[in-house]
Amino acid sequence: MRILVRLVASAIALAVATALVPGIVLLTASTGSKVLTLLAVALIFGVVNAILKPIIKTIGCAFYVLTLGLVALLVNALLLWLTSWVVGKLKLPFHVTGFWPAFWGAIIIGLVSWLLNLLIGDRPKRDDEPPPVRVVRVR
């Protein structure tokens, strides 16, 4: 269930980016097909991120450290652009026209996803779950 909620959150973030960034286009007319397209793109974007991002972070660890994490903006933009290419090969009506729309779209998607995940939370709290134990060393 949590995966579906996160998928919907990603689709909402993609919808916001589509509305705000001129170079990210959703080429479908009806609301139903827009929603289905955004859900499919969110799923593909999640798969691309899940497979490639850890590999890129491992290989490019030095660049992340040297740029204080700013290279993550570049990586996210390129992953969004790659997602657009994959979606185009699958004949879905979603397209990112270039690097700069991908760059600004990745920033917007990241911010909106972060805000939605703050509202959603990591996992539901259970009443019968004991509080976390804190170990304190006494000298």
Side-chain angles (χ1 to χ4, degrees):
M1 186 67 173
R2 302 289 299 160
I3 293 175
L4 291 177
V5 172
R6 295 215 185 253
L7 180 68
V8 170
S10 294
I12 292 170
L14 280 164
V16 170
T18 302
L20 294 179
V21 180
I24 300 177
V25 290
L26 188 57
L27 304 168
T28 183
S30 70
T31 305
S33 70
K34 282 183 182 181
V35 169
L36 290 176
T37 300
L38 286 171
L39 286 171
V41 172
L43 179 67
I44 293 168
F45 190 49
V47 170
V48 167
N49 273 320
I51 293 172
L52 293 179
K53 202 166 195 177
I55 296 168
I56 294 169
K57 279 186 174 183
T58 303
I59 293 171
C61 182
F63 292 113
Y64 278 88
V65 172
L66 287 174
T67 62
L68 301 175
L70 290 176
V71 76
L73 298 173
L74 174 72
V75 168
N76 288 341
L78 293 175
L79 289 175
L80 179 60
W81 207 4
L82 176 65
T83 300
S84 172
W85 179 78
V86 170
V87 165
K89 291 294 182 187
L90 295 174
K91 305 285 190 231
L92 290 172
F94 178 85
H95 184 65
V96 179
T97 59
F99 173 76
W100 289 111
F103 180 80
W104 294 113
I107 290 174
I108 291 171
I109 290 168
L111 287 174
V112 172
S113 295
W114 174 71
L115 287 172
L116 290 174
N117 286 327
L118 278 179
L119 296 174
I120 294 169
D122 283 342
R123 64 186 179 109
K125 301 275 183 185
R126 292 183 13 206
D127 291 335
D128 61 341
E129 188 174 304
V133 177
R134 184 173 181 191
V135 178
V136 178
R137 195 184 304 181
V138 180
R139 294 180 193 213

mmCIF file of all heavy atoms in Angstrom, residues 59 66 80 96 107 118:
data_model
loop_
_atom_site.group_PDB
_atom_site.id
_atom_site.type_symbol
_atom_site.label_atom_id
_atom_site.label_comp_id
_atom_site.label_asym_id
_atom_site.label_seq_id
_atom_site.Cartn_x
_atom_site.Cartn_y
_atom_site.Cartn_z
ATOM 1 N N ILE A 59 29.694 5.271 -8.002
ATOM 2 C CA ILE A 59 30.783 5.598 -8.928
ATOM 3 C C ILE A 59 31.214 7.055 -8.778
ATOM 4 O O ILE A 59 32.396 7.370 -8.796
ATOM 5 C CB ILE A 59 30.367 5.289 -10.381
ATOM 6 C CG1 ILE A 59 30.200 3.777 -10.553
ATOM 7 C CG2 ILE A 59 31.369 5.834 -11.380
ATOM 8 C CD1 ILE A 59 29.589 3.364 -11.872
ATOM 9 N N LEU A 66 33.043 16.556 -3.545
ATOM 10 C CA LEU A 66 33.703 17.771 -4.020
ATOM 11 C C LEU A 66 32.734 18.919 -4.274
ATOM 12 O O LEU A 66 33.070 20.082 -4.053
ATOM 13 C CB LEU A 66 34.501 17.484 -5.292
ATOM 14 C CG LEU A 66 35.778 16.682 -5.109
ATOM 15 C CD1 LEU A 66 36.392 16.347 -6.462
ATOM 16 C CD2 LEU A 66 36.772 17.446 -4.257
ATOM 17 N N LEU A 80 15.773 12.211 -15.079
ATOM 18 C CA LEU A 80 14.464 12.604 -15.590
ATOM 19 C C LEU A 80 14.469 12.618 -17.115
ATOM 20 O O LEU A 80 13.509 12.162 -17.757
ATOM 21 C CB LEU A 80 14.061 13.979 -15.044
ATOM 22 C CG LEU A 80 12.706 14.515 -15.518
ATOM 23 C CD1 LEU A 80 11.572 13.580 -15.122
ATOM 24 C CD2 LEU A 80 12.474 15.906 -14.973
ATOM 25 N N VAL A 96 10.241 15.422 -22.218
ATOM 26 C CA VAL A 96 11.068 16.508 -21.700
ATOM 27 C C VAL A 96 11.932 16.970 -22.871
ATOM 28 O O VAL A 96 12.678 16.178 -23.438
ATOM 29 C CB VAL A 96 11.938 16.049 -20.509
ATOM 30 C CG1 VAL A 96 12.807 17.173 -20.004
ATOM 31 C CG2 VAL A 96 11.054 15.508 -19.389
ATOM 32 N N ILE A 107 14.234 19.596 -10.019
ATOM 33 C CA ILE A 107 14.188 20.370 -8.773
ATOM 34 C C ILE A 107 12.757 20.438 -8.254
ATOM 35 O O ILE A 107 12.502 20.218 -7.061
ATOM 36 C CB ILE A 107 14.772 21.780 -8.992
ATOM 37 C CG1 ILE A 107 16.279 21.683 -9.205
ATOM 38 C CG2 ILE A 107 14.453 22.695 -7.815
ATOM 39 C CD1 ILE A 107 16.947 22.984 -9.568
ATOM 40 N N LEU A 118 6.701 14.352 3.493
ATOM 41 C CA LEU A 118 6.575 14.865 4.865
ATOM 42 C C LEU A 118 5.152 14.666 5.371
ATOM 43 O O LEU A 118 4.938 14.304 6.531
ATOM 44 C CB LEU A 118 6.918 16.355 4.918
ATOM 45 C CG LEU A 118 8.383 16.735 4.983
ATOM 46 C CD1 LEU A 118 8.529 18.257 4.998
ATOM 47 C CD2 LEU A 118 9.050 16.152 6.208
#
